[in-house]
Each structure stands twice: as structure tokens, then as C-alpha cells.
Amino acid sequence: MDLRGTVVSMKVAGIDCGTNSLRLLVAQAVPRAGGNGLRLRETVRRMEVVRLGAGVDRTGKFNGEALARTLRTVSHYARICEGEGVESIRFAATSATRDAENRQCFIDGVKERLGVCPQVLSGKQEAEMSFAGAVSPLDTQMFRSELLAVDLGGGSTELALGTPGGRLLESFSMNVGCVRMHERHLHADPPTEEEIAAARRDVRLALDEAEKYVDLSRGRSVLGLAGTVTTVTARALGLKSYDPQKIHGTFLTVPRIDEVCNWFIGSNASMRAAEGYLHPGRADVIASGALVWQEIVRRIDLRIKEKGGELGGVFTSEHDILDGLALWAAREPNPPCL
């Protein structure tokens, strides 16, 4: 996987199939000024909550309904790509597909509908792609220290430490995410103290393992990625409806993140349903996602303070693995389907 090459302008698409959502980005990939890498001019961005990973943590397999939902959306995305004149597509499957024993039926279904081979990314590859996408639109002059990108998904969370210029230094993929923690622990509405404590134990153990591979004290600038983080940010901003332009680039302090996460963890279904910025497909898993995000931010803050520093807060990014996949599609067009 080489994310550093160059290419002439072309229409590309990235498709990210996670545990909870299936997302599409169509963009024109064009050389940056001076020929230093690529940038994306977005034309289409879509997200459907398909919950492909429903039950996978418990059974180790995709269930038929989830698979059918997902493949219907793949067919829809194929029509969009055809209509947009897309020349190269990269389709990545992540945590749920890594865990599912019957992943081949999903892979075959995508090949049949889209004509490209979905690639089941390892946790390390997922972290690399997330970091590449997160830093791709940045003004690197804003960030003089190393960056820590946190991509909080449905089944896994990727921690990626790197330079503002896009060089990945350290990474780790934790098997904790909003869907996985919801299915394991947070069943009551709202969650009980015992359920919350059990989920926190899981996340803290995962962070203990992650710290063997990623030094959380090094990333004095932290980027939070994906749906849980952007939803927390939307509430922090007091938005009535979801607005990616207002959300992207927002800087939230650690106490503010803590406060908003506590609201989600303690809320019930009717309270969440009243929030206009909250996608209905996230309503049942946002409490567990907020808990994971809260634990990660607290741990990073602690490690930086132990080194005599101050985190201050976290930037929210609307750019993530999806942007990394679109850039990959431009630099390395689709491999042949075998």
C-alpha cells in the first residue's frame, strides 16, 4: 500500500464498509500545487447505516439480514459510481469482516455488484489509511508537533501517530467500538452503573495493550475521526441538525468532551431521538461510542500530563479512512479481481 505516489487528475471513489456504516466518497483527485502529492475535490459523499457487523462479536459470522442490507447499498453505490464516471474504486472492509468466518459471501457479493475486489484491511492497514485521510486536507503549518489520529468505529478503534506531513510512526487497532461495546455491555435504557463499569473495564484493558505500541504522550495534537466523535462535537456545538462544515475543524477542550460524553452515556432512547443532529442509525450505539471516546481522551490527557504537558483539547475531523481510500484509488488503481 503506497500512499505517496503521484498521478494525473482522475475521478476516483473510496468505499468504507465498517461494522456500523457503509460510506462512499466520489472525488476528483488532482495534483497539489507544486506537484507535492494529491488532493481531493469531493463531488459525492454518502453514508448508510447497514450494521453489517450486527452480532458478529457474539457469533463470529455475518447474519443474512445484515448481509442483504449491505449488498443492497453496494448496488446503489455502484450505480452512483457509474453515473459519476468513476475510473478507479478502492473498497475496504474493516473490523466486522476481519472477524466474520463467512466473509467470502460478502466479498463475492461486492465483486458481483461493483466489479472490484473488496480488500479486508488489517488493523495496521486501517490505521494507516485513516491517518492518511485525516491529514490529507490539513494545513500542516498549523501543526508543529506529531499528530495522534483516533478513528473510532463500530467494531474497532485505530490509534495512529504520525507527522503533519503524513508519515505514520506508530499505530494500533483496538477491538473496541460503539457497536461492539453496545452489544457486549450496554443493554439497559439508560445503561446501568454495572454495565457502564464493565464497558469501561474493557476499554481500559484495550488501551493498556495499545500503549505497548503507541506512545499516547507524543501526540500533542489529537484528531478525532468518525461518527461517534462528530456526533459528540455536534452536541457540543449546540447544532439543531448535522452540519459537517461546522463540525470539521472544531476544537473541543477535554472538560467539554467529558461533559458531552456523560450526557450521551446517561441519556435514554427518547432523549437521543429528540436530537436533530443524531443519525437514527447511531441512536442505539452512541452511548457506548461516547464512553469509548471519553476513556480514550482521558487516557491521552493523563499520559501527556505525566510528561509535564497539556493536551488542552481535541480537533474533530470529517476526513478519515474514506479520504485515504480515495487517495489510494488514485495512486494505485483497482487491482484485478481474481
Side-chain angles (χ1 to χ4, degrees):
M1 183 184 310
D2 182 2
L3 303 178
R4 295 168 297 175
T6 58
V7 73
V8 295
S9 176
M10 68 186 304
K11 199 70 166 286
V12 296
I15 301 176
D16 168 39
C17 188
T19 300
N20 195 45
S21 62
L22 180 58
R23 301 182 302 142
L24 165 71
L25 171 63
V26 177
Q28 192 78 28
V30 298
R32 289 185 181 276
N36 183 24
L38 295 168
R39 63 187 179 90
L40 299 172
R41 291 177 182 161
E42 176 182 325
T43 57
V44 176
R45 193 179 286 260
R46 297 279 189 273
M47 189 274 285
E48 297 289 340
V49 173
V50 295
R51 196 67 60 85
L52 175 63
V56 169
D57 185 63
R58 177 177 53 85
T59 67
K61 296 180 179 181
F62 292 135
N63 72 53
E65 290 183 4
L67 189 58
R69 280 195 306 270
T70 304
L71 291 176
R72 281 196 298 271
T73 303
V74 171
S75 295
H76 176 54
Y77 287 175
R79 291 191 292 272
I80 292 174
C81 288
E82 183 178 4
E84 289 287 324
V86 168
E87 301 165 74
S88 177
I89 302 172
R90 283 286 179 169
F91 187 115
T94 54
S95 178
T97 309
R98 287 196 295 268
D99 293 349
E101 296 172 12
N102 59 340
R103 69 180 71 87
Q104 193 60 47
C105 58
F106 168 64
I107 291 170
D108 291 342
V110 172
K111 286 182 186 178
E112 179 183 342
R113 289 160 177 80
L114 200 62
V116 300
C117 297
Q119 295 182 283
V120 183
L121 300 184
S122 67
K124 181 177 167 94
Q125 289 173 320
E126 188 175 356
E128 178 183 2
M129 201 63 60
S130 295
F131 187 77
V135 303
S136 63
L138 293 181
D139 176 1
T140 56
Q141 299 303 312
M142 291 175 56
F143 301 94
R144 304 198 179 276
S145 62
E146 291 162 343
L147 303 172
L148 179 64
V150 182
D151 188 349
L152 200 171
S156 66
T157 298
E158 281 61 52
L159 305 172
L161 179 73
T163 68
R167 185 164 64 93
L168 187 66
L169 303 173
E170 301 173 353
S171 66
F172 187 75
S173 180
M174 305 188 296
N175 274 334
V176 295
C178 60
V179 175
R180 197 184 295 268
M181 292 299 99
H182 171 71
E183 292 185 350
R184 282 188 188 177
H185 298 297
L186 303 190
H187 307 301
D189 183 32
T192 66
E193 291 184 9
E194 292 78 10
E195 289 174 342
I196 292 169
R200 290 195 188 280
R201 280 194 298 270
D202 250 13
V203 179
R204 290 169 184 172
L205 286 171
L207 283 165
D208 291 345
E209 182 66 16
E211 287 194 86
K212 298 175 184 177
Y213 302 90
V214 180
D215 183 351
L216 299 182
S217 70
R218 288 177 64 180
R220 300 303 172 90
S221 295
V222 177
L223 302 174
L225 320 177
T228 289
V229 178
T230 57
T231 301
V232 168
T233 303
R235 178 168 179 82
L237 292 173
L239 299 183
K240 301 302 181 186
S241 60
Y242 193 88
D243 188 334
Q245 291 189 332
K246 291 180 179 177
I247 290 168
H248 180 67
T250 295
F251 182 80
L252 296 179
T253 64
V254 173
R256 183 61 173 147
I257 293 170
D258 208 51
E259 176 188 4
V260 175
C261 287
N262 278 333
W263 184 87
F264 279 115
I265 295 166
S267 65
N268 60 34
S270 62
M271 294 166 67
R272 295 191 295 272
E275 301 298 300
Y277 56 80
L278 179 58
H279 191 289
R282 296 197 192 281
D284 59 338
V285 298
I286 188 60
S288 53
L291 184 148
V292 174
W293 184 223
Q294 184 181 61
E295 288 293 330
I296 291 171
V297 171
R298 286 176 175 179
R299 181 69 67 95
I300 295 169
D301 187 44
L302 174 63
R303 293 297 181 246
I304 290 176
K305 285 177 176 174
E306 288 174 345
K307 294 290 181 71
E310 185 69 38
L311 174 58
V314 176
F315 291 93
T316 300
S317 177
E318 284 278 352
H319 299 276
D320 52 29
I321 188 173
L322 199 54
D323 301 75
L325 290 170
L327 289 167
W328 188 19
R331 287 164 175 145
E332 295 182 49
N334 321 328
C337 255
L338 302 177

